[in-house]
């Protein structure tokens, strides 16, 4: 007899349902995406020829399976705890992905044609949890090692801080070039990327 009772609302089971639902969607090119409605979570996949990302790119060429970045887009007002737009009415996901496309186009060593994405529209209350559980599940490179891809321009007068690690490895975003150098050098970042790639290769059959 089973020793435990299945709880569909347990965080682990909720996370699996989000992962399964996202992976069931078709991967589409990140560039040139037509405007659509919805807020929720998304996964970006890389399959290009930037040498340090070789093992990841090779894995995704046959079929996008290992995200390089997981993110979320909340309806207007959601980040401040205000009354939000319905996730079906918002265009938050499309706007966020358009921002990412611009960052990729600006970043050295990257080409927009090498990126695809999966998108999942969620009810507002599940967006934050969905993103967290997807990051735990996939441990994406740009979430855990090469951080800062999703950062916005901090604005004039707030650029005295260090630039994100992502911008040190992929320089080109104008606002980041005005910041101080990142805490890690390009060589140090590439060493961390290599270690992540080794773990990825070891975990795959």
């Amino acid at each position: 007899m089973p020793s435990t009772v299945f709880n569909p609302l347990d965080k682990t089971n909720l996370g699996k349902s989000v992962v399964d639902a996202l992976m069931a969607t078709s991967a589409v090119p990140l560039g040139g995406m037509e405007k659509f409605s919805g807020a929720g979570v998304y996964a970006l996949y890389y399959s290009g020829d930037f040498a340090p990302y070789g093992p990841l790119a090779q894995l995704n060429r046959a079929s996008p399976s290992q995200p390089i970045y997981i993110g979320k887009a909340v309806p207007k007002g959601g980040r401040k705890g205000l009354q939000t737009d319905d996730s079906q009415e918002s265009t938050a996901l499309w706007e966020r992905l358009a921002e990412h496309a611009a960052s990729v186009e600006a970043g050295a060593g990257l080409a927009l044609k090498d990126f695809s994405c999966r998108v999942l529209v969620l009810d507002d209350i599940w967006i934050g949890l969905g993103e967290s559980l997807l990051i735990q599940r996939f441990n994406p490179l740009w979430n855990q090692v090469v951080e800062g891809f999703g950062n916005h321009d901090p604005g004039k007068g707030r650029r005295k801080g260090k630039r994100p690690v992502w911008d040190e490895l992929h320089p080109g975003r104008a606002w980041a070039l005005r910041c101080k150098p990142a805490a890690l050098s390009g060589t140090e970042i590439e060493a961390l990327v290599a270690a992540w790639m080794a773990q990825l290769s070891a975990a795959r059959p």
Side-chain angles (χ1 to χ4, degrees):
M1 294 293 292
S3 59
T4 59
V5 177
F6 176 73
N7 177 6
L9 297 181
D10 179 81
K11 186 169 74 170
T12 301
N13 295 324
L14 284 172
K16 184 178 185 303
S17 70
V18 172
V19 171
D20 290 347
L22 180 64
M23 296 304 293
T25 66
S26 298
V28 298
L30 178 60
M33 192 175 297
E34 294 186 5
K35 192 171 185 177
F36 64 92
S37 297
V41 296
Y42 56 88
L44 303 186
Y45 300 88
Y46 177 72
S47 58
D49 57 5
F50 183 64
Y53 297 166
L56 173 65
Q58 182 64 35
L59 187 63
N60 286 327
R61 282 178 189 136
S63 177
S65 58
Q66 173 59 50
I68 194 170
Y69 185 75
I70 294 286
K72 68 180 178 183
V74 297
K76 184 178 179 181
R79 292 187 184 275
K80 299 179 180 179
L82 303 175
Q83 183 177 358
T84 63
D85 296 334
D86 185 272
S87 61
Q88 301 289 334
E89 301 295 330
S90 171
T91 57
L93 267 173
W94 177 82
E95 292 170 7
R96 188 65 169 145
L97 291 170
E99 290 176 357
H100 289 333
S103 291
V104 166
E105 288 187 306
L110 303 175
L112 188 56
K113 65 180 179 61
D114 297 324
F115 285 82
S116 59
C117 64
R118 284 190 168 94
V119 178
L120 182 66
V121 175
L122 289 171
D123 287 341
D124 304 356
I125 61 172
W126 303 115
I127 293 175
L129 176 61
E131 180 196 36
S132 296
L133 294 175
L134 284 164
I135 291 173
Q136 291 177 26
R137 166 66 177 80
F138 289 107
N139 188 35
L141 178 68
W142 284 359
N143 292 92
Q144 307 289 48
V145 178
V146 186
E147 298 179 89
F149 172 65
N151 289 16
H152 294 94
D153 184 348
K156 186 177 180 181
R158 298 178 61 189
R159 296 182 184 134
K160 295 181 179 180
K162 296 180 179 179
R163 72 174 59 99
V165 169
W166 188 88
D167 292 279
E168 196 69 36
L169 189 59
H170 300 291
R173 292 194 289 194
W175 64 265
L177 293 173
R178 301 187 189 102
C179 298
K180 295 179 180 179
L184 301 175
S185 68
T187 300
E188 291 171 322
I189 297 167
E190 289 192 17
L192 293 175
V193 170
W196 186 95
M197 292 295 167
Q199 291 180 347
L200 175 67
S201 299
R204 296 281 175 166

